[in-house]
Amino acid sequence: MTTDKALVLVIEDEAPIRCFLRAFLESQGFRFLEAESGEEGLGMAASHQPDVILLDLGLPGMDGLDVIRRIRQWTATPILVISARGKEQDKIEALDAGADDYLIKPFSVGELAARMRVALRHASSGGQDRPEPVFRVGALSVDLAARRVRLTGAEVHLTPIEFKLLAFLVRHAGKVVTHRQLLKEVWGSVRDDQAHYPRLYVHQLRHKIEPDPARPRFLRTETGIGYRLEEADGPEDVNS
Protein backbone atom coordinates (compact mmCIF):
# COMPACT_ATOMS: atom_id res chain seq x y z
CA MET A 1 0.00 0.00 0.00
CA THR A 2 1.42 3.40 -0.99
CA THR A 3 0.32 6.75 0.33
CA ASP A 4 -1.55 7.42 -2.91
CA LYS A 5 -5.24 6.75 -2.26
CA ALA A 6 -4.60 5.10 1.12
CA LEU A 7 -7.53 5.75 3.45
CA VAL A 8 -6.72 7.52 6.75
CA LEU A 9 -9.14 7.67 9.67
CA VAL A 10 -8.43 10.55 12.06
CA ILE A 11 -10.06 10.20 15.50
CA GLU A 12 -9.61 13.62 17.08
CA ASP A 13 -12.02 15.82 19.03
CA GLU A 14 -10.41 19.18 18.14
CA ALA A 15 -11.89 20.50 14.89
CA PRO A 16 -8.91 22.77 13.98
CA ILE A 17 -6.53 19.80 14.18
CA ARG A 18 -8.84 17.66 12.05
CA CYS A 19 -9.04 20.46 9.49
CA PHE A 20 -5.26 20.86 9.47
CA LEU A 21 -4.70 17.11 9.06
CA ARG A 22 -7.28 16.88 6.29
CA ALA A 23 -5.53 19.62 4.28
CA PHE A 24 -2.10 18.09 4.78
CA LEU A 25 -3.03 14.45 4.17
CA GLU A 26 -5.11 15.17 1.09
CA SER A 27 -2.19 17.19 -0.31
CA GLN A 28 -0.07 14.04 0.18
CA GLY A 29 -2.48 11.84 -1.79
CA PHE A 30 -4.37 10.25 1.11
CA ARG A 31 -8.13 9.81 1.32
CA PHE A 32 -9.52 11.14 4.59
CA LEU A 33 -12.15 10.19 7.15
CA GLU A 34 -12.69 11.88 10.50
CA ALA A 35 -14.39 11.15 13.81
CA GLU A 36 -14.58 13.35 16.89
CA SER A 37 -15.16 10.68 19.56
CA GLY A 38 -13.94 7.20 20.36
CA GLU A 39 -17.33 5.62 19.79
CA GLU A 40 -17.72 7.28 16.39
CA GLY A 41 -14.16 6.30 15.48
CA LEU A 42 -14.78 2.64 16.31
CA GLY A 43 -17.86 2.61 14.10
CA MET A 44 -16.03 4.20 11.18
CA ALA A 45 -13.06 1.86 11.60
CA ALA A 46 -15.41 -1.12 11.37
CA SER A 47 -17.49 0.16 8.46
CA HIS A 48 -14.77 1.76 6.30
CA GLN A 49 -11.72 -0.40 7.13
CA PRO A 50 -9.11 2.37 6.82
CA ASP A 51 -5.49 1.64 5.91
CA VAL A 52 -4.13 3.63 8.86
CA ILE A 53 -5.64 5.32 11.93
CA LEU A 54 -4.45 8.55 13.57
CA LEU A 55 -5.75 8.65 17.12
CA ASP A 56 -5.78 11.25 19.88
CA LEU A 57 -5.85 9.83 23.42
CA GLY A 58 -7.77 12.65 25.12
CA LEU A 59 -11.17 11.96 23.60
CA PRO A 60 -14.59 12.73 25.10
CA GLY A 61 -16.33 9.67 26.48
CA MET A 62 -14.20 6.66 25.59
CA ASP A 63 -10.49 7.20 26.26
CA GLY A 64 -8.05 6.66 23.40
CA LEU A 65 -6.40 3.71 25.16
CA ASP A 66 -9.73 1.91 25.25
CA VAL A 67 -10.21 2.68 21.55
CA ILE A 68 -6.85 1.04 20.78
CA ARG A 69 -7.73 -2.06 22.78
CA ARG A 70 -11.13 -2.37 21.12
CA ILE A 71 -9.68 -1.98 17.62
CA ARG A 72 -6.98 -4.56 18.36
CA GLN A 73 -9.65 -7.13 19.16
CA TRP A 74 -10.46 -7.47 15.46
CA THR A 75 -7.89 -5.77 13.22
CA ALA A 76 -4.15 -5.13 12.87
CA THR A 77 -4.70 -1.81 11.06
CA PRO A 78 -1.76 0.49 11.92
CA ILE A 79 -2.57 2.96 14.70
CA LEU A 80 -0.46 6.10 15.15
CA VAL A 81 -1.18 8.03 18.33
CA ILE A 82 -1.00 11.82 18.09
CA SER A 83 -1.42 13.23 21.57
CA ALA A 84 -0.52 16.10 23.90
CA ARG A 85 0.21 13.49 26.57
CA GLY A 86 3.98 13.51 26.52
CA LYS A 87 4.91 11.51 29.63
CA GLU A 88 6.87 8.32 29.14
CA GLN A 89 4.19 6.27 30.89
CA ASP A 90 1.54 7.56 28.46
CA LYS A 91 3.65 6.40 25.53
CA ILE A 92 4.34 3.02 27.11
CA GLU A 93 0.66 2.41 27.86
CA ALA A 94 -0.37 3.30 24.30
CA LEU A 95 2.28 1.10 22.70
CA ASP A 96 1.55 -1.79 25.04
CA ALA A 97 -2.17 -1.43 24.27
CA GLY A 98 -1.41 -2.00 20.59
CA ALA A 99 -0.49 1.33 19.02
CA ASP A 100 2.20 1.17 16.34
CA ASP A 101 3.75 4.57 16.97
CA TYR A 102 3.40 7.73 19.05
CA LEU A 103 3.83 11.41 18.17
CA ILE A 104 3.55 14.25 20.67
CA LYS A 105 1.66 17.43 19.79
CA PRO A 106 2.84 19.71 18.33
CA PHE A 107 4.51 17.45 15.75
CA SER A 108 6.25 17.86 12.42
CA VAL A 109 4.03 16.98 9.47
CA GLY A 110 7.12 15.66 7.72
CA GLU A 111 7.74 13.23 10.57
CA LEU A 112 4.06 12.26 10.61
CA ALA A 113 4.16 11.46 6.88
CA ALA A 114 7.34 9.41 7.33
CA ARG A 115 5.85 7.40 10.22
CA MET A 116 2.71 6.77 8.16
CA ARG A 117 4.78 5.50 5.23
CA VAL A 118 6.52 3.05 7.58
CA ALA A 119 3.16 1.83 8.89
CA LEU A 120 1.79 1.35 5.39
CA ARG A 121 4.89 -0.56 4.28
CA HIS A 122 4.46 -2.93 7.20
CA ALA A 123 0.80 -3.44 6.38
CA SER A 124 1.40 -4.00 2.67
CA SER A 125 4.11 -6.60 3.32
CA GLY A 126 1.86 -8.60 5.58
CA GLY A 127 2.72 -6.92 8.87
CA GLN A 128 5.19 -7.78 11.54
CA ASP A 129 4.65 -11.54 11.41
CA ARG A 130 6.01 -11.98 7.88
CA PRO A 131 9.24 -10.01 7.49
CA GLU A 132 11.44 -10.09 4.44
CA PRO A 133 13.71 -13.21 4.45
CA VAL A 134 16.80 -10.97 4.65
CA PHE A 135 16.59 -7.67 6.48
CA ARG A 136 19.10 -4.99 5.49
CA VAL A 137 19.85 -1.55 6.85
CA GLY A 138 23.12 0.12 5.96
CA ALA A 139 25.97 -2.38 6.37
CA LEU A 140 23.87 -4.68 8.58
CA SER A 141 22.04 -7.72 7.20
CA VAL A 142 19.96 -10.25 9.13
CA ASP A 143 18.88 -13.52 7.53
CA LEU A 144 16.11 -14.77 9.81
CA ALA A 145 15.68 -18.11 8.07
CA ALA A 146 19.40 -18.96 8.17
CA ARG A 147 19.88 -17.26 11.56
CA ARG A 148 22.84 -15.39 10.09
CA VAL A 149 23.91 -11.82 10.83
CA ARG A 150 26.53 -9.90 8.85
CA LEU A 151 28.10 -6.47 9.29
CA THR A 152 29.95 -5.07 6.24
CA GLY A 153 30.01 -8.62 4.90
CA ALA A 154 31.62 -10.20 7.95
CA GLU A 155 29.61 -12.74 9.92
CA VAL A 156 28.57 -11.67 13.42
CA HIS A 157 28.26 -14.38 16.08
CA LEU A 158 25.33 -13.85 18.44
CA THR A 159 24.18 -15.82 21.45
CA PRO A 160 20.69 -17.41 21.18
CA ILE A 161 19.18 -14.65 23.33
CA GLU A 162 20.93 -11.91 21.35
CA PHE A 163 19.62 -13.34 18.09
CA LYS A 164 16.10 -13.73 19.48
CA LEU A 165 16.17 -10.11 20.61
CA LEU A 166 17.48 -8.89 17.24
CA ALA A 167 14.96 -11.02 15.33
CA PHE A 168 12.09 -9.53 17.32
CA LEU A 169 13.37 -6.03 16.59
CA VAL A 170 13.71 -6.89 12.89
CA ARG A 171 10.08 -8.00 12.79
CA HIS A 172 9.16 -4.61 14.24
CA ALA A 173 11.69 -2.53 12.32
CA GLY A 174 10.82 1.16 12.23
CA LYS A 175 8.51 0.81 15.24
CA VAL A 176 9.04 1.54 18.91
CA VAL A 177 9.27 -1.63 21.01
CA THR A 178 8.80 -1.18 24.75
CA HIS A 179 10.88 -2.80 27.48
CA ARG A 180 7.77 -4.72 28.53
CA GLN A 181 7.20 -6.07 25.02
CA LEU A 182 10.83 -7.22 24.82
CA LEU A 183 10.62 -8.98 28.17
CA LYS A 184 7.41 -10.75 27.21
CA GLU A 185 8.49 -11.82 23.72
CA VAL A 186 12.18 -12.60 24.31
CA TRP A 187 12.23 -13.85 27.90
CA GLY A 188 8.63 -15.02 28.13
CA SER A 189 7.63 -13.10 31.24
CA VAL A 190 7.58 -9.64 32.78
CA ARG A 191 9.12 -9.60 36.25
CA ASP A 192 10.73 -6.86 38.31
CA ASP A 193 13.96 -8.81 38.66
CA GLN A 194 14.22 -8.96 34.84
CA ALA A 195 13.70 -5.25 34.20
CA HIS A 196 17.38 -4.70 33.39
CA TYR A 197 17.58 -7.52 30.82
CA PRO A 198 16.65 -5.49 27.69
CA ARG A 199 19.14 -2.73 28.51
CA LEU A 200 21.92 -5.24 29.22
CA TYR A 201 21.38 -7.29 26.06
CA VAL A 202 20.89 -4.26 23.81
CA HIS A 203 24.23 -2.98 25.12
CA GLN A 204 25.85 -6.31 24.22
CA LEU A 205 24.12 -6.42 20.85
CA ARG A 206 25.27 -2.93 19.92
CA HIS A 207 28.88 -3.93 20.53
CA LYS A 208 28.41 -6.64 17.90
CA ILE A 209 26.25 -5.00 15.21
CA GLU A 210 27.06 -1.29 15.45
CA PRO A 211 30.13 0.17 13.68
CA ASP A 212 30.36 2.61 16.61
CA PRO A 213 28.45 1.30 19.68
CA ALA A 214 28.79 4.68 21.42
CA ARG A 215 26.87 6.30 18.55
CA PRO A 216 24.24 3.73 17.57
CA ARG A 217 23.30 3.86 13.90
CA PHE A 218 20.84 0.98 13.66
CA LEU A 219 19.44 0.28 17.13
CA ARG A 220 18.05 3.54 18.56
CA THR A 221 17.03 4.28 22.13
CA GLU A 222 13.57 5.71 22.83
CA THR A 223 14.45 7.13 26.26
CA GLY A 224 12.46 5.61 29.08
CA ILE A 225 10.30 3.59 26.67
CA GLY A 226 12.32 1.05 24.70
CA TYR A 227 14.06 0.77 21.35
CA ARG A 228 13.55 1.22 17.63
CA LEU A 229 15.49 -0.66 14.95
CA GLU A 230 15.94 1.54 11.90
CA GLU A 231 14.57 0.17 8.64
CA ALA A 232 16.17 2.75 6.36
CA ASP A 233 19.26 4.94 6.34
CA GLY A 234 18.91 8.09 8.42
CA PRO A 235 20.86 10.48 10.63
CA GLU A 236 22.99 9.13 13.46
CA ASP A 237 21.61 8.96 17.00
CA VAL A 238 23.66 9.99 19.99
CA ASN A 239 21.45 8.11 22.47
CA SER A 240 22.88 4.98 24.01
Side-chain angles (χ1 to χ4, degrees):
M1 173 66 66
T2 63
T3 60
D4 187 34
K5 303 304 182 183
L7 180 61
V8 183
L9 170 60
V10 174
I11 308 176
E12 164 66 65
D13 64 320
E14 295 187 41
I17 295 179
R18 294 199 308 273
C19 182
F20 168 75
L21 288 172
R22 174 186 287 275
F24 171 71
L25 293 172
E26 288 183 345
S27 75
Q28 298 296 304
F30 291 98
R31 292 179 294 141
F32 186 93
L33 288 172
E34 62 184 79
E36 58 185 61
S37 70
E39 292 84 352
E40 183 184 9
L42 284 173
M44 297 188 76
S47 60
H48 293 275
Q49 298 184 0
D51 298 300
V52 62
I53 297 170
L54 302 184
L55 172 69
D56 183 24
L57 294 182
L59 298 169
M62 182 183 295
D63 185 75
L65 291 174
D66 293 327
V67 174
I68 295 171
R69 296 186 186 102
R70 290 276 298 275
I71 290 174
R72 282 292 171 259
Q73 291 176 1
W74 56 273
T75 182
T77 298
I79 301 173
L80 279 67
V81 171
I82 48 173
S83 177
R85 299 180 189 175
K87 295 181 179 179
E88 291 174 2
Q89 188 59 36
D90 294 321
K91 300 177 187 178
I92 292 169
E93 289 178 354
L95 293 164
D96 281 342
D100 294 89
D101 214 334
Y102 196 111
L103 285 174
I104 300 172
K105 298 176 181 175
F107 50 85
S108 158
V109 291
E111 183 177 7
L112 173 62
R115 301 281 183 94
M116 291 176 68
R117 288 193 294 270
V118 169
L120 289 167
R121 281 198 298 272
H122 287 159
S124 66
S125 63
Q128 63 191 36
D129 297 324
R130 293 197 296 276
E132 292 294 328
V134 179
F135 170 86
R136 291 186 176 86
V137 56
L140 177 68
S141 70
V142 183
D143 187 333
L144 294 178
R147 298 179 65 85
R148 180 171 296 166
V149 180
R150 293 182 182 276
L151 181 65
T152 61
E155 188 159 357
V156 178
H157 298 283
L158 301 182
T159 68
I161 288 292
E162 288 169 349
F163 184 83
K164 189 174 183 180
L165 172 63
L166 181 58
F168 184 69
L169 290 165
V170 165
R171 293 186 178 99
H172 294 74
K175 295 170 55 178
V176 178
V177 176
T178 68
H179 295 107
R180 183 182 180 87
Q181 287 171 322
L182 286 172
L183 284 170
K184 181 178 179 182
E185 296 297 330
V186 178
W187 286 275
S189 61
V190 181
R191 304 201 314 260
D192 289 343
D193 62 341
Q194 296 175 321
H196 65 290
Y197 284 9
R199 186 173 295 104
L200 173 64
Y201 277 87
V202 164
H203 176 77
Q204 294 177 184
L205 192 56
R206 280 175 170 156
H207 277 269
K208 294 185 177 183
I209 69 169
E210 294 281 0
D212 182 359
R215 295 177 59 84
R217 163 65 188 84
F218 310 128
L219 183 47
R220 312 293 187 99
T221 295
E222 296 287 340
T223 304
I225 301 171
Y227 303 95
R228 182 199 302 268
L229 182 66
E230 291 296 307
E231 70 162 13
D233 290 344
E236 291 186 343
D237 188 4
V238 296
N239 289 335
S240 59

